[in-house]
Amino acid sequence: MKLSPLAHQANAHDDAVWSVAWSGAGEGLLLTGSVDESVKAWRAAGDGLEMAHAYTGHTLGVVALAAAPNGLVASSALDSLIRVWSVDTHETRCVIETPPAENWQIAFAPGDEPAHLAVAGGVSGGVKLYSIEQDGGEQVSVMSLPEVAADKAKNSRFVQSVAYSPDGRRIACGAMDGTVALFDAGTGKLLHTLQGHAMPVRSLCFDVSGKTLYTGCDDGHIHAYDAEHRSLQDALPGHKSWVLGVSISPDGNALCSCSSDATVKLWDVGTRSCVQTMSDQSEAVWGVCFGPGGDKVASVSDDKSVNLYDFV
């Protein structure tokens, strides 16, 4: 397995690019979100990227993106708004208003026509589910981490990351103190917590079976957890600084990670070993994502650039 540079777009945004996702609809557009308050859709063009559309409406930086197979895209921003729209019509589906500092990473429920969006709740210490039906945006469920001990800072339960299992039955989240929690998506019940990290868990993803959960942490490690039996399977060292993003390939054989050390790493899931390190961006790489077909990988950086790779 190998990553090969396909396209590099310098100054893709006017400020740092913090989020990336792929639309599973139509031609599979690449979506990026920036501190410049915009979301842009791109398609490959020669050795660069061609902007297909720019989505505006946020008044502060975009921190997270999520995309659904039916062409819906959601963006979460520091203005406490989550905006959901269609990449086909560019029309707004709904706007979700959250309390301050309670909307971070987001994830659509699995399925061709998702009805819910999971939101990492920040200071509220858990995950919230919102309806995304037309004119929706209503909160339908709250999943909370256990209360912290009296001698621990309240912000230790600040939840930054969230992911659905492929079957939609479980939701995982990661917190500032290293806590990783799994909830029953239907009932909102806390199933269990996973131990091993002691610093912020900024990204997580399930493998295709839903049995293994990968986490990226400020301790510079990626952990592989047995999500069903609560055990730590492996720790993958290699990054020299915070691990800001993890993404699993559609076939489950490869994992990509990105870091504030300005690298993207490719991991062989079978051997749990790093097989390649890419250093094509000059500052922190905030997001990395496999394309829906599994043959492309995109990464975004503080240096305002977007990189596109072939994956074979």
Side-chain angles (χ1 to χ4, degrees), residues 191-239:
L191 299 174
H192 49 259
T193 58
L194 303 172
Q195 307 301 317
H197 291 301
M199 298 177 72
V201 177
R202 296 182 184 267
S203 181
L204 32 72
C205 64
F206 284 90
D207 74 347
V208 293
S209 72
K211 295 179 180 179
T212 302
L213 179 69
Y214 293 95
T215 59
C217 180
D218 279 10
D219 60 17
H221 286 71
I222 299 160
H223 281 180
Y225 290 99
D226 183 328
E228 295 182 344
H229 300 97
R230 314 183 190 185
S231 60
L232 175 62
Q233 295 177 329
D234 210 346
L236 312 181
H239 282 293

Side-chain angles (χ1 to χ4, degrees), residues 263-276:
T263 68
V264 170
K265 289 184 178 290
L266 176 65
W267 304 82
D268 184 315
V269 168
T271 62
R272 298 262 168 82
S273 61
C274 179
V275 296
Q276 192 176 10

Side-chain angles (χ1 to χ4, degrees), residues 96-185:
I96 300 169
E97 297 185 29
T98 73
E102 290 192 11
N103 61 303
W104 297 88
Q105 282 191 2
I106 50 182
F108 281 106
D112 292 337
E113 296 289 337
H116 296 141
L117 187 74
V119 179
V123 295
S124 62
V127 176
K128 296 179 179 179
L129 286 189
Y130 289 89
S131 166
I132 55 168
E133 298 295 334
Q134 194 71 40
D135 300 322
E138 296 181 357
Q139 182 178 301
V140 297
S141 178
V142 178
M143 305 171 194
S144 300
L145 294 182
E147 292 293 326
V148 299
D151 60 347
K152 293 188 71 174
K154 290 183 178 179
N155 67 358
S156 66
R157 282 294 196 258
F158 190 106
V159 173
Q160 295 175 293
S161 52
V162 66
Y164 265 99
S165 63
D167 62 8
R169 296 173 59 189
R170 290 172 295 171
I171 293 175
C173 71
M176 288 270 298
D177 65 355
T179 297
V180 177
L182 278 88
F183 298 91
D184 183 293

Side-chain angles (χ1 to χ4, degrees), residues 73-87:
V73 174
S75 57
S76 175
L78 295 173
D79 58 8
S80 300
L81 296 178
I82 298 168
R83 308 183 75 90
V84 182
W85 66 84
S86 166
V87 295

